[in-house]
Amino acid sequence: MKNVIFISPNFPTNYWQFCRQLKQNGMNVLGIGDQPYDELTPDLKDSLNEYYKVNSLENYDEVYRAVAFFTFKHGRIDWLESNNEYWLERDAKLRTDFHITSGFQVEDIPRIKYKSKMKAYYEKINLPVARYHLVNDMEGAYAFAHEVGYPVITKPDNGVGASDTHKINNDDDMRHFFETKIPNTTYIMEEFVNGEVNSYDAIIDSNGEPMFETGNVTPMSIMDIVNNADNSIFYILKELPEDTRTIGRATVKSFGVKSRFIHFEFFRLLEDQEGLGKKGDLVGLEVNMRPCGGITPDMINFAHSTDVYKIWADMIAFDHSTKPVGKHSFCGFAGRRDGKNFVMNHDDIMAAYGPHIRMADRVSEVLSSAMGNQMYLATFDTQEELDKFYEDLLRCY
């Protein structure tokens, strides 16, 4: 029996399903989290063989002691995972310190976490990337912005999601950025790419080959959603475009990915852009060595009539999966922001789209800045139906 430690199994709230599938595959599932055991959901309790509560997952010594306890009690740990961007570096340090060789180690972190270092691995497969500058001083930033032309995008070189990401349109914005940026944080500044974010989402086996593949599209900028407190939409594609599949697989090889659930992001150009390509071409954006966040695994299941929690657990237990993929559909996420005067209320939405709605719920406060406050997931056979769904749900007076 393999010993598998799952870090923070209670958040996001749907991640207990990874643990359930591990346990059903015969794994000894050991959870480490900061929520009291009595407050865990019954589903999560049933999905764990044992749980160790720490006061704070931010405290490395506490988490280290938890892993040490499980090692002493159960023997060698075979896997340690959180599937969470926030804990990727922590996971790698724990694996390195406890000689758990089934995932990324400390030495792997720079190429998978620092946006500036990712670019070389895209360039190895001849995929264009935006020109960039690591911000040291205002003079260098001005020089870069004037070379590539405004607007430019700036964000932490090692950041999570779209937090602290800014679009700088002119010299005044640049001065404001330097007046307000977080001290002692390294920022990357990039030329603006007029593109729609397309992703390659896959579960990769120990040989670096895909066990399952799909992709999603984000028509609206997550940066703008966060900064403008706007509504949020994205959707799982009914069919993965062949160019996304080809480039996604090449990126897996370039980064040396094995035994992981991944979410790679690309820009699909909305217009010709010098040095990057023609309208419709793909441009490298960033890699995320974990599933697409929040409720997305459930959306993938709805879109492809499958269970990616099961496929991921099969990858760990057996390095292959026989979980079938059924009917393909678009699965759309609509995140509505509180305080907006929407034409359709909840009852209207359910009356109009009830047979298509797969989930309707509040978004957790931690995720709401990027995803809105009230979410609706719905499946459709055609792009036209999906577009009408978004038009109706987001229309305001």
Side-chain angles (χ1 to χ4, degrees), residues 176-232:
H176 179 72
F177 164 69
F178 273 91
E179 290 169 357
T180 58
K181 70 183 184 71
I182 300 173
N184 304 316
T185 297
T186 300
Y187 287 85
I188 183 173
M189 186 172 289
E190 297 176 294
E191 66 177 314
F192 177 75
V193 178
N194 185 13
E196 180 180 72
V197 176
N198 284 221
S199 78
Y200 173 77
D201 297 81
I203 297 171
I204 307 298
D205 70 13
S206 66
N207 296 311
E209 300 296 331
M211 294 170 52
F212 172 86
E213 299 170 296
T214 187
N216 68 53
V217 172
T218 306
M220 304 166 67
S221 164
I222 295 294
M223 173 188 67
D224 291 337
I225 292 167
V226 172
N227 291 338
N228 302 330
D230 208 345
N231 302 314
S232 173

Side-chain angles (χ1 to χ4, degrees), residues 72-350:
F72 174 78
K73 183 173 180 179
H74 298 279
R76 183 173 64 88
I77 304 301
D78 299 284
W79 287 81
L80 183 146
E81 190 55 77
S82 67
N83 278 340
N84 193 315
E85 180 79 20
Y86 191 78
W87 301 116
L88 279 182
E89 292 181 73
R90 170 65 52 81
D91 294 348
K93 181 165 174 54
L94 288 167
R95 290 192 204 100
T96 300
D97 287 350
F98 285 91
H99 307 290
I100 304 167
T101 59
S102 53
F104 287 119
Q105 307 291 301
V106 168
E107 65 184 16
D108 299 311
I109 288 299
R111 78 174 188 277
I112 66 172
K113 282 289 289 175
Y114 289 84
K115 296 172 177 63
S116 59
K117 296 186 184 299
M118 295 175 187
K119 292 180 183 288
Y121 293 87
Y122 282 127
E123 291 169 341
K124 281 171 59 177
I125 58 171
N126 298 314
L127 186 68
V129 293
R131 289 172 288 177
Y132 76 99
H133 168 75
L134 287 177
V135 176
N136 294 313
D137 52 45
M138 191 179 298
E139 290 73 22
Y142 276 132
F144 174 76
H146 293 162
E147 175 189 350
V148 302
Y150 286 115
V152 294
I153 305 297
T154 185
K155 51 195 171 185
D157 192 29
N158 180 9
V160 177
S163 60
D164 200 20
T165 299
H166 307 278
K167 185 177 182 181
I168 297 175
N169 294 295
N170 50 50
D171 286 353
D172 288 340
D173 286 353
M174 185 72 78
R175 281 191 291 273
H176 179 72
F177 164 69
F178 273 91
E179 290 169 357
T180 58
K181 70 183 184 71
I182 300 173
N184 304 316
T185 297
T186 300
Y187 287 85
I188 183 173
M189 186 172 289
E190 297 176 294
E191 66 177 314
F192 177 75
V193 178
N194 185 13
E196 180 180 72
V197 176
N198 284 221
S199 78
Y200 173 77
D201 297 81
I203 297 171
I204 307 298
D205 70 13
S206 66
N207 296 311
E209 300 296 331
M211 294 170 52
F212 172 86
E213 299 170 296
T214 187
N216 68 53
V217 172
T218 306
M220 304 166 67
S221 164
I222 295 294
M223 173 188 67
D224 291 337
I225 292 167
V226 172
N227 291 338
N228 302 330
D230 208 345
N231 302 314
S232 173
I233 65 173
F234 71 97
Y235 56 90
I236 307 299
L237 287 161
K238 184 175 182 178
E239 301 291 344
L240 184 65
E242 199 55 41
D243 60 348
T244 306
R245 185 189 311 276
T246 299
I247 290 173
R249 290 180 177 184
T251 305
V252 166
K253 297 297 186 184
S254 183
F255 278 85
V257 180
K258 296 179 179 179
S259 303
R260 291 204 71 78
F261 200 149
I262 57 167
H263 171 66
F264 291 174
E265 295 179 341
F266 307 91
F267 284 120
R268 190 174 295 279
L269 294 178
L270 297 176
E271 62 182 7
D272 296 355
Q273 189 160 344
E274 185 178 354
L276 294 179
K278 300 292 187 181
K279 180 180 178 179
D281 287 350
L282 291 174
V283 173
L285 176 52
E286 64 181 62
V287 296
N288 298 280
M289 300 298 180
R290 43 76 182 174
C292 188
I295 207 70
T296 309
D298 297 277
M299 292 176 62
I300 294 172
N301 290 345
F302 295 145
H304 301 296
S305 308
T306 191
D307 188 339
V308 293
Y309 301 104
K310 169 65 172 168
I311 298 171
W312 177 83
D314 287 350
M315 176 268 293
I316 289 181
F318 316 120
D319 205 28
H320 69 276
S321 180
T322 57
K323 181 65 183 177
V325 174
K327 178 189 175 185
H328 296 280
S329 306
F330 292 95
C331 183
F333 172 98
R336 306 210 308 181
R337 187 71 61 183
D338 288 350
K340 293 184 180 292
N341 194 13
F342 294 105
V343 172
M344 297 181 75
N345 62 29
H346 175 76
D347 291 340
D348 296 331
I349 293 169
M350 298 308 295

